[in-house]
Amino acid sequence: MRWPEAIHEELSGAGVRVVGYVPDAGHKRLIELCHTDPNMRAVVLSTEEEGIGLAAGAWLGGQKSALLMQSSGVGNIVNVLGMVRECRFPLVTLVTMRGEQGEFNPWQLPMGQAVRPVLEAMGTVVQYADKAEEVAPIVNAALRLAYNSYASVAVLISQRLIGIKSFQEQAAQ
Amino acid sequence: MKRRDAVQQLLLDRGELLVVAGLGSTAWDCTAAGDSPLTFPMWGAMGQAAMIGLGLALAQPQRRVLVITGDGEALMGLGAFATIGVQQPANLTVAVIDNEHYGETGMQQTHTAHGVDLAGIARACGLKVVAFEEARNAIYQGVGPHFVVVKVEAEKIPLVLPPREGALLKARFRRAVLGPNADLD
């Protein structure tokens, strides 16, 4: 089983019903799996911060959710993470990284390198997965931490695992 | 129309209606109409009221959900209307109380004072736009998603504040919706 399938299995097993996403090539397979899962509502967002509102509303209504984005999207959610912290909303954010290992687009670098300090400054617990076999257990632990301890948890999925090394490869996805 | 009268009319005999109140004047308006555990008043996260309403509407499809927010708050999250248009939640109404000004920051004009048409944007995103006279029917029994703009006077009126603590507002709302198990799940 590849890591996107393994993540989907963890989300499903934890009872996640709502999955908000801004598409990223690294999340392509997981987004497809969430869309075809009859027990999940996959919600395409126009910007990542919408996913925070969506997750908060779902939890107010008693449902668990997950939020999928690329590292650039972390910059879009900063202020809204203030609500997550103040209200102690549980939140699981799965971030596919750009601007780190082997990046080919220099415009990705500044935000990619700022992801961890920005999230930590806003009170989000950051966990990092850079081996395929570790992704599922780390997501499993993130879901338990978020929903048992009312925490905001982000799992950063290393660019090494995404494996895209050029614009041409990205376009061919 | 006066904003407090408009909100009072929308919330009269609200029963089990779930309400998300956008930050600032609309949160005070909802509180003036009667503080309720079934209202989630926001004190921040500007631009997210409609999205919280969407999450709630998807999680509670058997309940009616009303977002009451201001023109400034709605303008900060216009993308939410596109996202709601895709999801088509039948039980959601977004009501924008439009005084064409940023009321909490010195009454500067918003875009709607210059002709930006929020109802036109919502309609183009796939929401069903209704007039204020039809709003109660839309909120309490119509097949949405609905959108209503209520043009109101730009007036400075006394603040009527809800509780501030976010964790408290979340917990009381969940208890009121989900019952005593809300704290155990």
Side-chain angles (χ1 to χ4, degrees):
Chain A
M1 186 164 52
R2 299 189 311 141
W3 62 265
E5 277 82 0
I7 292 179
H8 174 259
E9 205 160 86
E10 294 297 341
L11 298 181
S12 180
V16 166
R17 293 286 171 266
V18 178
V19 178
Y21 68 90
V22 173
D24 180 51
H27 275 316
K28 181 171 187 281
R29 179 65 185 142
L30 179 56
I31 290 166
E32 291 166 357
L33 290 165
C34 294
H35 265 294
T36 54
D37 186 331
N39 294 316
M40 287 184 188
R41 182 75 169 247
V43 178
V44 62
L45 309 167
S46 75
T47 178
E48 290 81 359
E49 60 191 299
E50 290 175 9
I52 308 288
L54 182 75
W59 184 245
L60 287 174
Q63 281 193 346
K64 294 179 183 175
S65 65
L67 175 55
L68 316 181
M69 68 179 69
Q70 183 191 92
S71 47
S72 49
V74 171
N76 292 344
I77 66 173
V78 178
N79 176 56
V80 187
L81 283 174
M83 171 180 69
V84 173
R85 183 173 187 170
E86 165 56 22
C87 297
R88 297 194 71 203
F89 278 117
L91 180 69
V92 175
T93 309
L94 307 181
V95 182
T96 45
M97 290 302 296
R98 293 288 304 273
E100 43 141 47
Q101 298 192 38
E103 179 58 60
F104 53 90
N105 179 352
W107 291 44
Q108 285 279 1
L109 218 63
M111 190 63 236
Q113 290 299 309
V115 161
R116 179 186 284 272
V118 162
L119 287 171
E120 288 179 343
M122 292 307 294
T124 292
V125 177
V126 178
Q127 296 172 340
Y128 187 74
D130 66 350
K131 296 186 181 66
E133 65 273 19
E134 287 177 357
V135 175
I138 289 174
V139 170
N140 178 291
L143 285 159
R144 287 186 288 117
L145 176 57
Y147 284 102
N148 292 340
S149 296
Y150 312 109
S152 172
V153 188
V155 177
L156 312 186
I157 300 168
S158 167
Q159 191 163 6
R160 195 162 70 176
L161 290 178
I162 315 303
I164 299 168
K165 297 185 179 63
S166 68
F167 290 111
Q168 290 74 14
E169 250 182 78
Q170 181 174 253
Q173 275 262 312
Chain B
M1 184 175 285
K2 291 197 175 289
R3 57 185 310 132
R4 292 269 161 91
D5 294 341
V7 171
Q8 173 85 39
Q9 285 183 46
L10 296 179
L11 295 180
L12 189 67
D13 298 326
R14 57 183 280 184
E16 297 294 295
L17 180 71
L18 309 179
V19 176
V20 177
L23 83 171
S25 301
T26 45
W28 323 151
D29 296 337
C30 289
T31 310
D35 184 37
S36 163
L38 289 177
T39 298
F40 185 71
M42 299 172 68
W43 287 83
M46 187 166 174
Q48 290 307 309
M51 284 303 302
I52 293 177
L54 174 61
L56 193 50
L58 295 180
Q60 289 286 330
Q62 306 307 320
R63 307 282 290 263
R64 311 297 300 188
V65 178
L66 172 63
V67 175
I68 300 183
T69 193
D71 44 309
E73 207 275 346
L75 283 160
M76 194 174 280
L78 286 180
F81 300 123
T83 298
I84 291 168
V86 173
Q87 298 303 321
Q88 290 291 310
N91 55 335
L92 177 65
T93 299
V94 178
V96 176
I97 308 300
D98 182 6
N99 69 352
E100 304 185 349
H101 291 77
Y102 292 102
E104 305 303 310
T105 55
M107 279 292 187
Q108 301 87 350
Q109 288 185 330
T110 67
H111 303 53
T112 62
H114 301 273
V116 171
D117 176 11
L118 287 173
I121 291 166
R123 186 181 294 112
C125 289
L127 282 75
K128 299 174 184 173
V129 176
V130 298
F132 181 69
E133 295 69 30
E134 308 163 307
R136 280 190 60 92
N137 190 47
I139 292 163
Y140 291 95
Q141 55 217 1
V143 179
H146 288 109
F147 186 87
V148 57
V149 173
V150 190
K151 287 283 184 183
V152 296
E153 293 171 28
E155 51 179 347
K156 290 300 279 184
I157 49 182
L159 306 181
V160 184
L161 304 181
R164 285 197 301 282
E165 190 190 345
L168 167 76
L169 293 165
K170 173 199 68 174
R172 74 172 194 168
F173 189 96
R174 279 174 49 86
R175 283 180 192 173
V177 176
L178 305 168
N181 282 336
D183 303 327
L184 304 174
D185 287 342

